[in-house]
């Protein structure tokens, strides 16, 4: 290499080491052209294809996202409608239950009133039966007492049962008429 520089310097030509020779420029242009054609033919289509695929994926993703969002909105509306329907049904059920409760309460009150009336009627019947029994016992007791008093007043025995029964009945009827006139008794 030293010889080339020396020869060039001896020939008197001024050679600029920074400026390439013409054949270097031609071969460089040919190489760049071949690389450019190869790049244009193989690399750029692949890059464009990759970019198109990415663009399609992005656009498809956006479209799928919009479709999913629309579906989510529809589903939300359906759920809100179902919730509103469920609330209406719950209100209807509550109202029906309240109505049934009132009916049951009214029925129970009516049953209780009927039972109370039955118990009171039974009580009155029982009281009337006891009253009659007591009156019968009282009449016989009063009759015996009247006979005893009459025997003491008359001084003789009123042993005839027919006379005794007639006397008792007469006394009791007088007693009843006296009670009815006064308003005492029943």
């Amino acid at each position: 290499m030293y010889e080339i520089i020396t020869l060039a310097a001896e020939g008197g030509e001024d050679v600029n080491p920074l400026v390439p020779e013409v054949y270097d420029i031609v071969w460089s242009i040919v190489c760049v052209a071949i690389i450019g054609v190869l790049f244009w033919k193989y690399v750029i289509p692949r890059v464009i294809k990759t970019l198109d695929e990415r663009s399609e994926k992005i656009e498809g993703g956006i479209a799928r996202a919009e479709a999913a969002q629309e579906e989510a909105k529809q589903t939300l509306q359906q759920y809100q409608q179902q919730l509103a329907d469920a609330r209406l049904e719950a209100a209807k059920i509550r109202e029906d239950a309240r109505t049934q409760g009132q009916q049951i309460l009214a029925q129970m009150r009516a049953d209780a009133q009927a039972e109370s009336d039955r118990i009171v009627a039974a009580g009155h019947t029982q009281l009337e039966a006891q009253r009659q029994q007591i009156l019968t016992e009282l009449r016989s007791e009063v009759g015996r007492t009247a006979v005893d008093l009459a025997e003491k007043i008359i001084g003789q025995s009123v042993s005839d049962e027919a006379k005794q029964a007639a006397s008792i009945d007469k006394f009791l009827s007088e007693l009843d008429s006296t009670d009815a006139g006064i308003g005492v008794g029943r």
Side-chain angles (χ1 to χ4, degrees):
M1 191 149 182
Y2 182 69
E3 291 176 11
I4 296 175
I5 294 176
T6 337
L7 285 177
E10 288 177 4
E13 291 182 29
D14 280 333
V15 177
N16 187 353
L18 295 177
V19 176
E21 293 291 327
V22 175
Y23 67 89
D24 281 337
I25 293 175
V26 171
W27 282 113
S28 294
I29 290 175
V30 169
C31 286
V32 168
I34 291 173
I35 291 174
V37 167
L38 290 175
F39 198 80
W40 184 263
K41 184 110 174 156
Y42 297 108
V43 175
I44 290 181
R46 287 187 182 176
V47 170
I48 290 175
K49 181 181 175 186
T50 304
L51 290 176
D52 288 342
E53 287 175 359
R54 282 188 177 180
S55 176
E56 288 175 11
K57 283 182 182 179
I58 291 171
E59 289 173 1
I62 291 172
R64 284 190 304 274
E66 288 174 352
Q69 187 176 12
E70 185 63 32
E71 184 178 339
K73 283 181 183 179
Q74 290 176 353
T75 305
L76 178 63
Q77 288 175 349
Q78 289 174 349
Y79 286 142
Q80 288 174 341
Q81 183 63 37
Q82 288 175 350
L83 182 62
D85 292 344
R87 286 181 179 157
L88 286 174
E89 187 174 338
K92 181 182 175 192
I93 289 170
R94 278 193 306 267
E95 187 61 34
D96 289 346
R98 186 176 298 121
T99 302
Q100 287 177 354
Q102 289 173 349
Q103 290 173 350
I104 290 170
L105 187 60
Q107 181 64 36
M108 289 176 71
R109 283 182 183 157
D111 292 346
Q113 184 64 40
E115 183 67 18
S116 173
D117 292 344
R118 186 190 64 77
I119 290 170
V120 168
H124 284 307
T125 304
Q126 187 177 5
L127 281 175
E128 187 61 32
Q130 287 177 351
R131 182 177 172 272
Q132 289 300 325
Q133 181 183 1
I134 290 171
L135 279 176
T136 305
E137 289 174 7
L138 255 169
R139 282 181 186 213
S140 78
E141 187 66 34
V142 167
R144 273 185 251 137
T145 306
V147 168
D148 288 343
L149 281 174
E151 285 178 354
K152 287 182 183 179
I153 292 175
I154 296 175
Q156 71 177 332
S157 166
V158 185
S159 58
D160 186 12
E161 292 204 19
K163 287 183 181 180
Q164 189 178 10
S167 296
I168 291 172
D169 287 340
K170 181 180 174 189
F171 178 75
L172 289 177
S173 64
E174 287 176 7
L175 187 63
D176 282 342
S177 65
T178 305
D179 285 345
I182 297 176
V184 178
R186 303 177 202 161

